[in-house]
């Protein structure tokens, strides 16, 4: 992936802006990445995948490009700030927001979400898997109910894209946002928003697209409608390579491997006295993120010691999801979160567990 980015930098032309060879190659990098995204998510039309810098921009575009004063939105208490902050901003503009509390295990009840729909509900926003507890949320049930009620659905797949199968042919979601640099294994500066055909999204940014240049109005066709200015073809070249790897490897195989690692983590952590693990006990009901606390040790100190003494990198604190932590009862100190990926080995999990044991022993 890194080599693909380096090679793309050396030959970057402005994609879609010119007929010369470099411009065409860069446009091809974007197209290839877009086609592979469509293939991975089971969709026949890659033009519905709009590139963004990250999941945050995709979520802002989806939220601010669809909601209008007077609209009502339903969301949950386990959302990331990249959902909550735009929604709170929209409240200032007259949008009403209902936050449905998830259970203490971090899982939202689909019935409670649907029960919060009322006259004027325009959209439901739901994270696919909490980045705090790792808990998978009932997206299928919520999205299907939303479709039946004529409510738009937006799924934040930042923690699941590339790691948990998502099939847009069977999931009637309207908008789906994700990062390119997490489970999709691409470079930073990549992300996307999928917009179902027929869903009307007003662009946050307008400008040059290299198409319909005779008009001073933004084109209404995708992806140009939501992609203005020079696109990150260099990032797309890297993303295209990582997507090819995921497609070759198979999303089911990646998922199986990550479930196995999470299982090792959960059973190992549960055997260390004084360690408390959050989220569902069944690894199949989680994405690849496990939050825990070591009794008597500040999460940041656990993180520091795991890195310094064991070479294990984790994230401690609030994970940009204060509500997620309030739900688990771990606000304001947060937790330590460990997230195995498709390349994580059993040996690395064992090293991590022995690191946690030592941290615990030295303080317990
Ligand atoms: C659930 C969730 N949503 C959104 C985001 C934002 O992603 P990005 O950093 O790509 O903007 C993250 C990042 O950690 C996340 O975990």
């Amino acid at each position: 992936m890194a080599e693909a980015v380096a090679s793309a930098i050396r030959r970057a032309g402005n994609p879609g802006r010119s007929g010369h060879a470099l411009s065409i190659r860069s446009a091809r990098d974007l197209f290839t990445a877009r086609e592979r995204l469509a293939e991975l998510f089971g969709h026949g039309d890659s033009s519905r995948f709009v590139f963004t810098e990250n999941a945050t921009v995709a979520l802002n575009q989806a939220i601010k490009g669809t909601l209008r004063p007077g609209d009502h939105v339903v969301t949950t208490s386990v959302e990331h700030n990249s959902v909550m902050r735009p929604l709170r901003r929209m409240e200032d503009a007259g949008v009403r927001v209902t936050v449905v509390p998830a259970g203490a295990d971090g899982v939202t009840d689909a019935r409670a979400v649907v029960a919060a729909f009322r006259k004027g509900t325009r959209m439901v926003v739901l994270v696919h898997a909490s980045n705090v507890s790792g808990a998978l949320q009932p997206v299928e049930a919520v999205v299907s109910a939303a479709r039946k009620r004529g409510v738009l659905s937006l799924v934040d797949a930042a923690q699941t894209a590339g790691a948990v199968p998502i099939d847009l042919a069977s999931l009637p979601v309207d908008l789906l946002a994700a990062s390119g640099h997490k489970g999709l294994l691409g470079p930073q500066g990549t992300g996307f928003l999928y917009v179902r055909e027929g869903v009307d999204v007003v662009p946050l940014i307008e400008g040059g697209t290299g198409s319909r240049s005779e008009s001073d109005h933004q084109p209404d066709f995708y992806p140009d409608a939501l992609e203005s200015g020079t696109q990150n073809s260099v990032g797309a070249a890297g993303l295209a390579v990582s997507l090819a790897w995921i497609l070759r490897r198979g999303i089911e195989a990646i998922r199986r491997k990550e479930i196995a690692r999470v299982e090792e983590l959960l059973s190992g952590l549960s055997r260390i006295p004084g360690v408390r693990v959050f989220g569902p006990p069944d690894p199949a009901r989680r994405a690849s993120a496990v939050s825990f606390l070591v009794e008597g040790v500040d999460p940041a100190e656990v993180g520091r010691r795991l890195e310094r003494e064991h070479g294990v990198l984790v994230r401690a604190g609030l994970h940009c999801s204060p509500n997620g932590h309030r739900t688990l009862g771990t606000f304001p100190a947060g937790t330590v979160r460990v997230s195995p990926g498709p390349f994580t080995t059993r040996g690395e999990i064992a090293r991590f567990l022995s690191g946690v044991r030592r941290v615990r022993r030295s303080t317990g």
Side-chain angles (χ1 to χ4, degrees):
M1 185 276 277
E3 288 75 27
V5 172
S7 138
I9 286 173
R10 282 186 218 108
R11 57 165 170 75
N14 201 321
R17 301 297 195 269
S18 193
H20 62 62
L22 295 185
S23 173
I24 290 169
R25 279 181 77 169
S26 293
R28 199 173 292 144
D29 287 337
L30 279 165
F31 181 72
T32 304
R34 211 186 300 279
E35 284 283 292
R36 289 179 186 161
L37 275 179
E39 186 180 344
L40 181 62
F41 295 104
H43 197 272
D45 179 1
S46 69
S47 71
R48 307 306 300 184
F49 292 77
V50 172
F51 285 119
T52 59
E53 290 97 304
N54 47 45
T56 301
V57 172
L59 290 161
N60 269 266
Q61 170 64 83
I63 289 168
K64 294 173 180 167
T66 50
L67 296 177
R68 294 294 159 260
D71 285 344
H72 173 240
V73 184
V74 177
T75 192
T76 81
S77 70
V78 291
E79 303 303 318
H80 191 269
N81 273 343
S82 54
V83 164
M84 287 318 299
R85 288 179 175 175
L87 285 179
R88 293 301 183 208
R89 171 76 58 195
M90 294 307 283
E91 276 184 322
D92 298 340
V95 167
R96 292 153 306 144
V97 178
T98 299
V99 179
V100 176
D105 59 354
V107 181
T108 316
D109 179 355
R111 284 163 306 187
V113 176
V114 176
F117 291 180
R118 61 184 198 221
K119 196 164 170 283
T121 303
R122 181 86 201 292
M123 183 185 256
V124 57
V125 190
L126 184 63
V127 72
H128 191 184
S130 160
N131 64 309
V132 173
S133 66
L136 282 165
Q137 305 298 321
V139 284
E140 289 83 6
V142 169
V143 162
S144 304
R147 168 54 57 95
K148 282 197 199 110
R149 308 272 197 98
V151 171
L152 285 175
S153 58
L154 165 60
V155 168
D156 171 1
Q159 289 289 325
T160 52
V164 177
I166 298 174
D167 179 25
L168 292 172
S170 57
L171 183 72
V173 69
D174 293 302
L175 299 145
L176 184 110
S179 322
H181 62 271
K182 297 182 192 285
L184 293 177
L185 310 174
Q188 291 183 1
T190 61
F192 74 89
L193 175 66
Y194 158 77
V195 182
R196 180 173 288 279
E197 200 170 353
V199 175
D200 199 15
V201 181
V202 176
L204 285 188
I205 305 288
E206 284 148 338
T209 56
S211 57
R212 300 272 161 86
S213 294
E214 71 287 357
S215 169
D216 47 6
H217 290 276
Q218 187 75 7
D220 60 2
F221 53 84
Y222 276 68
D224 299 28
L226 301 184
E227 276 183 6
S228 290
T230 300
Q231 295 299 300
N232 182 5
S233 62
V234 165
L239 185 61
V241 168
S242 54
L243 284 165
W245 183 86
I246 293 169
L247 287 166
R248 257 197 328 274
R249 187 77 210 272
I251 188 83
E252 300 287 353
I254 291 171
R255 175 76 179 134
R256 274 196 303 278
K257 186 168 175 196
E258 291 193 4
I259 287 179
R261 294 292 93 90
V262 168
E263 199 157 18
E264 288 156 25
L265 274 176
L266 293 177
S267 75
L269 285 171
S270 71
R271 278 191 253 115
I272 306 176
V275 168
R276 189 166 158 220
V277 181
F278 298 87
D282 178 359
R285 294 184 58 214
R286 292 170 164 271
S288 198
V290 175
S291 255
F292 67 97
L293 284 175
V294 180
E295 203 181 359
V297 195
D298 183 74
E301 176 60 14
V302 176
R304 264 194 300 276
R305 290 196 52 188
L306 284 174
E307 177 174 16
R308 220 175 31 230
E309 296 165 21
H310 305 279
V312 178
L313 307 185
V314 295
R315 181 169 172 191
L318 290 177
H319 310 97
C320 297
S321 181
N323 287 350
H325 281 283
R326 285 189 184 98
T327 304
L328 299 182
T330 49
F331 185 86
T335 53
V336 186
R337 185 191 65 186
V338 56
S339 310
F343 307 114
T344 306
T345 62
R346 290 181 90 130
E348 286 166 335
I349 299 288
R351 176 149 57 93
F352 161 79
L353 290 170
S354 107
V356 177
R357 257 182 243 113
R358 288 175 75 142
V359 170
R360 171 65 190 147
R361 267 204 302 270
S362 63
T363 54

